[in-house]
Amino acid sequence: MNQEIMNEIMEKIRQYDRILIFRHFRPDGDAIGSTKGLQAILRATYPEKEILLQNNDSSDYLAFLGPEDAIIAEEKYADALAIVLDTGTADRVSNQKFTLCKEVVKIDHHIDKNPFGDCSWVEDQRSSTCEMIVKFYDTFKDELKLTKEAATYLYTGMVTDSGRFRFNSVSGDTMRYAGILLDQKLDTDVLFANLYLEDFDYLKFKAYIYKKMKLTENGVAYLFVDKAMQEKFGLSSESASATVSSMDSIRGSICWLAFIESQDEEDKIRVRLRSRFMPINHLAEAHHGGGHAFASGATVFSRKEMRQLIKEADACVKEYKENHEGWL
Ligand code: AMP
């Protein structure tokens, strides 16, 4: 069935002279990798077409991948094809003008709670949207051209969204598609250095996080990155958010939460939820959020709601541990 949707998407790509590519706001490696990767494939294949990334925000952490395109005049959207990548719901698209395009194609690996687009290809078991773009390339490889540049972007998304090929969403396909990218001889030393080296000061901050994080009775690790902490360490919202990964390897803690207090909106706290063995997307959905089974995002609007979410997570972990074996 997905073959038919891929054929339909390929047909639309052939048809349009102008293709605008969109992604979710607050981009991560998969959002940037998949959009820049698809753009590089389409530009190499169809040099005569206008293929542009149209997004309103950027990422400091991923700035090494290079800039995106300037926003073009609104009138130029009317006869364009929009391809929205790595974005589960329409309200999360960075540039809301995507709706002005003649047709909208959605390609994504998030759970499809609120479908959108004239044509939608969603495979929520895939480890990344980049994996789907490589699948798309592989399906039409007689026509599409993969360059080393495209492979580098796509590999970035595959590596980051799979926790360096560690998450349980990684399948045989993930590795086979990653292999297609590695065949392009990309420089993984430089890529991994750009992605994972940490500043000395950030390591000092990590030491502070380890002191501050807490554990509930049943093993939910959590950290509240309040405004004072962000100011004290001069954290950008990106580095404040990255603290969630510092809690990902605690034995017995199968769920961990980072709460990031908003700098400019009173009483708004972003929540990043992560887990292993036990899905947590339903918890995120109960607090204005959603996402993947083991990696979701939400928002709470008071410290009281934050404490409530921690309690709910603790109860879920208790229930899970009582009824399942084999967790660590
Ligand atoms: P985050 O911790 O914000 O990076 O979110 C983890 C995953 O959940 C990402 O893939 C997000 O795209 C997704 N996500 C975060 N917030 C929401 C939301 N409000 N609705 C749906 N998906 C979300």
Side-chain angles (χ1 to χ4, degrees), residues 24-26 28 30 86-89 91-92 108-111 113-114 161 241 244 258 270-274 280-281 284-285 287-299:
H24 64 77
F25 69 98
R26 234 161 23 205
D28 55 8
D30 195 27
D86 195 39
T87 310
T89 53
D91 60 326
R92 291 178 58 76
D108 186 37
H109 75 130
H110 294 90
I111 299 165
K113 287 275 175 207
N114 301 92
D161 245 35
S241 306
V244 71
R270 176 182 177 200
V271 193
R272 306 193 78 194
L273 304 92
R274 300 290 184 271
I280 33 84
N281 54 305
E285 283 158 21
H287 293 273
H288 319 279
H292 305 285
F294 302 101
S296 288
T299 307

Side-chain angles (χ1 to χ4, degrees), residues 255-290:
C255 172
W256 54 103
L257 314 169
F259 295 89
I260 323 307
E261 191 169 34
S262 168
Q263 282 287 351
D264 26 57
E265 283 177 82
E266 197 67 24
D267 286 332
K268 188 170 173 188
I269 303 171
R270 176 182 177 200
V271 193
R272 306 193 78 194
L273 304 92
R274 300 290 184 271
S275 63
R276 57 179 174 271
F277 303 109
M278 178 193 80
I280 33 84
N281 54 305
H282 63 282
L283 257 179
E285 283 158 21
H287 293 273
H288 319 279

